[in-house]
Amino acid sequence: PDDATAGGIRPGACNLLAESMPNEFVVHTTGHELKGLSAVYEYLDAKVANSMPGARVLAGWPPPPWGQRGPGPKPARVSVIVGCGVSMVTIDIIVDELYAIDSSTAPPLRNGGAMREPLLRCFATQVMYFKERLDAGEMRMVLMKLKDAVVHAKAANTNNVEVTLVQWGVQVRRQFDIDNLALTTRDADTGMAQLVHVMKNISDAVGNIAAQQREAAIAVDTLGAQQREARAEA
């Protein structure tokens, strides 16, 4: 929490949480219990859901309405990268190369495994923050490994891999912002400002989809023309 004092981080966090939500939610984040108050707490088993309001506040995001859990944060979507014209087969190749997934890896992490989806979300998150980390000069070895994996899967070449990853990241970030609008909009923004922000993101996303459709139509027309020429020559 802001303005931590000598009282310690734990008391400061407890007080910050108590300002933002009922104590019934606070204890799921601080690790305390309310079983001494009522036997009903012996039966409640929703610790993950009840800890979400506290996690949001401690992460610096605004709390949900008082007494409500509210929607939790949504992860970055790998499907956005598929929407950029990359096949899921190619993405799986990138992910396996990036995280060293092979026949010796635990089956849940392999393609089709129960833990594959979290791995894909990790990949989408790395793509989303690629430009930010590149500009800051951070995690150079990680960024190099990511670029090498993309080139390995033939999704880009060494000359355009950074540009490609930046383009993917822009699209992933745009969808991430839309998905997490309830959490990421600033409290100081008016309702109209928030609406304008949402509409701009949606407009940009629709524009990108339209551009991809036009490119696909051009590619189909070009292929058709080539096939007609080949038949005419035959």
Side-chain angles (χ1 to χ4, degrees), residues 62-121:
W66 185 267
Q68 298 181 26
R69 296 183 182 91
K74 306 296 190 301
R77 295 195 208 178
V78 76
S79 60
V80 176
I81 303 174
V82 176
C84 293
V86 185
S87 72
M88 198 63 218
V89 172
T90 298
I91 289 178
D92 281 324
I93 295 173
I94 296 173
V95 169
D96 287 344
E97 179 69 14
L98 178 61
Y99 300 117
I101 305 298
D102 55 28
S103 58
S104 65
T105 303
L109 293 173
R110 295 186 219 161
N111 193 8
M115 293 298 294
R116 186 68 172 191
E117 185 61 29
L119 205 59
L120 294 174
R121 292 174 181 177

Side-chain angles (χ1 to χ4, degrees), residues 155-167:
N157 57 52
T158 54
N159 295 323
N160 66 1
V161 63
E162 287 190 0
V163 173
T164 298
L165 282 166
V166 169
Q167 291 173 343

Side-chain angles (χ1 to χ4, degrees), residues 131-197:
K131 185 177 187 303
E132 184 176 324
R133 289 168 173 167
L134 184 68
D135 292 343
E138 298 175 347
M139 304 176 70
R140 290 185 175 88
M141 295 301 295
V142 174
L143 299 184
M144 181 61 69
K145 181 68 175 176
L146 177 57
K147 291 190 291 185
D148 288 346
V150 172
V151 173
H152 170 78
K154 297 181 171 57
N157 57 52
T158 54
N159 295 323
N160 66 1
V161 63
E162 287 190 0
V163 173
T164 298
L165 282 166
V166 169
Q167 291 173 343
W168 293 355
V170 168
Q171 300 306 318
V172 174
R173 165 64 79 175
R174 182 170 291 133
Q175 186 61 53
F176 177 83
D177 287 345
I178 293 173
D179 291 343
N180 290 283
L181 183 65
L183 302 175
T184 56
T185 47
R186 300 187 300 274
D187 290 340
D189 280 349
T190 63
M192 183 56 69
Q194 293 180 12
L195 179 60
V196 169
H197 176 70

Side-chain angles (χ1 to χ4, degrees), residues 23-39:
N23 291 337
E24 287 81 357
F25 289 163
V26 171
V27 296
H28 289 283
T29 304
T30 63
H32 296 94
E33 292 186 349
L34 295 174
K35 294 179 180 179
L37 295 180
S38 172

